[in-house]
Amino acid sequence: MASEYGRKNETSPLAAASYDYLAQLYEDYLNGKSDLPQFWCDYFTENKDNFFEVDYPEIRSRFKEYAQSNSQNPSNSTTITPAGNVRSLISAFRDFGHLTASISPLETNESECSLLDISAHDFKDSATNISEYGFYDKVSTVGELVSLLEASYCSNASLETSHLSNVSERNWLYSQVEKVNPYAVADKDTKVKILENLTRAEGIEQYFAVKYVGQKRFSLEGGESVIPGLNIGLEYAVTEHNLSDVVIGMAHRGRLNVMLNTLGMATEEIFKEFEGRADYGNTSGDVKYHLGYSSDLDIADKSLHLTLMFNPSHLEFIAPVVNGSVRARQDLSVIEGKSRASVLPVIIHGDAAVAGQGVVAETFNMSKTPAFDVSGSLHIIINNQVGFTATSDDYMSSDYCSGIAKAVNAPIFHVNGDSPDAVVRCIQIAIDYRMKFGKDVVVDIVCYRRLGHNEADEPVATLPKMYQVIKNHPTTRVQYVNYLKEQGLVTDEEVLQLQNNVKEIMDDGLSLIAGKKNTKTQQRRLQWKKYKDKDWDQVVDTGINLVNLKKFAKQIVNIPEGLTMQRQVA
């Protein structure tokens, strides 16, 4: 249960969401405003020496400037200092920059926000020098500051934090993204790895399209960046945070791709599903895009156990199932002396489902309750910008499909699916946040659905304008190849070889993932062996020795000495 202070801090005017209001009241107090309510005069007088020592370093600095300025020039008490203007400009980008970010691959964001204009903060010239205030290294002018903040909040990725009530979390997130090229991948090896993942993601879908014409597979085409984001993100979680187990829950779209591309299922196993050759033993089995799988991957010198949960046609209903499985694994980890955080739930949502299914809100709402806390879930949204045939205006009232996450103070990254570098970086930062604060975090990958709801649908009939754009839109892999070729990092021959490798491996029915084994998976199966294929209606003796029964009965009704009972209970 939250402490009285914690609850007050979240709901009173002293909460972080009331930052600007509180700051203005305190400024009025310092300036001796006569119309300030007596309550606030008494409060600030009583607390001015210690209240702002905990969470408000920027406010304290601003108040100090005000106090010094006013003591030297009392007649100028309402003048706002240039440093204050800089702070208000920074706050505007932090709170509203996402509104102008280029996060959709299909259209240019033409939204404007007047608060992002320097004139709204009393700056007339972008060349105005602000280096003396020391907000950022190597930022000397207002123009340089705006360029940095645009890269942080208005580029191919952005971040929503204004709903967060914990100031230390906000400041940590600011420190991660407020830097030069915050969403860029610097090293060549990672860029080549991203291309390999995109090539496999695209190649798998193209292979299925040719080999199994007209069969449903709920293709990932248009959202291929999910694969490098997921794969490189999990590799990062293992090497940087010693993650040992990951449980994934997702609906249909992209499921086959994740099984082959992330969990390393042999392609022959998928072929059996398409061809009706899969052996389910004594059961009727299920359709291929409901299936689960588990495997173990060697990453550096460590092992990662991956589980993709079986999922029926109820889409987001898998979310609490994932968290239940994770909580059970975490309980075992604690017994073994490991950290709860070493087991990570990854819930991959669809945009219309995350906005429309109540189970999502229910799962978020339970995320920090003692019995259901899993030290934070990583939520990845495959945001196709369409639900079956409905566009976002017809299935949600919030600005983003991720709006429900704000109810639990979860930070939300929005990222353009055609920017795989940014997708990878957002997921890495999100993992860092989860490991540091033990809370849910959302990465909204804004992409598109190249085909219809499934491969038998014709989307042009209901969404002609969107699909005319999609028809002429180059794939993410093609765009990324051109980007790497411009940098001189790959050649046409290397690109072709990567594509041929995917086809050759799939022709042979092998696994596309190196370093896969089943050690832990086999161990887990052995743990369940005693429960499988058993006759559950056998007669079992559940009786108990009468002597023990009387002993336990006395213990149940005997009040321990020295314990004072509540009257009705007694």
Side-chain angles (χ1 to χ4, degrees), residues 249-252 311-319 348 353 357 359:
M250 65 183 299
H252 302 352
N311 190 34
S313 288
H314 299 293
L315 304 179
E316 308 290 323
F317 270 62
I318 198 61
I348 303 177
Q357 286 199 269
V359 70

Side-chain angles (χ1 to χ4, degrees), residues 512-528:
L512 291 155
I513 302 295
K516 186 179 89 70
K517 61 183 186 302
N518 283 296
T519 308
K520 285 186 183 177
T521 300
Q522 294 298 339
Q523 291 172 353
R524 302 284 171 87
R525 286 174 181 163
L526 287 173
Q527 290 174 353
W528 286 95

Side-chain angles (χ1 to χ4, degrees), residues 215-219 250-257 259 270 273-274 280 286-292 308-315 453-455:
Q215 287 207 44
K216 290 182 183 180
R217 65 182 189 275
F218 291 94
S219 159
M250 65 183 299
H252 302 352
R253 186 160 313 285
R255 190 178 192 84
L256 303 186
N257 213 309
M259 283 197 284
I270 293 291
E273 296 290 342
F274 276 103
Y280 292 105
D286 203 347
V287 290
K288 53 189 170 292
Y289 37 81
H290 288 179
L291 298 179
L308 176 65
M309 302 292 283
F310 289 83
N311 190 34
S313 288
H314 299 293
L315 304 179
H453 175 65
N454 61 58
E455 288 64 34

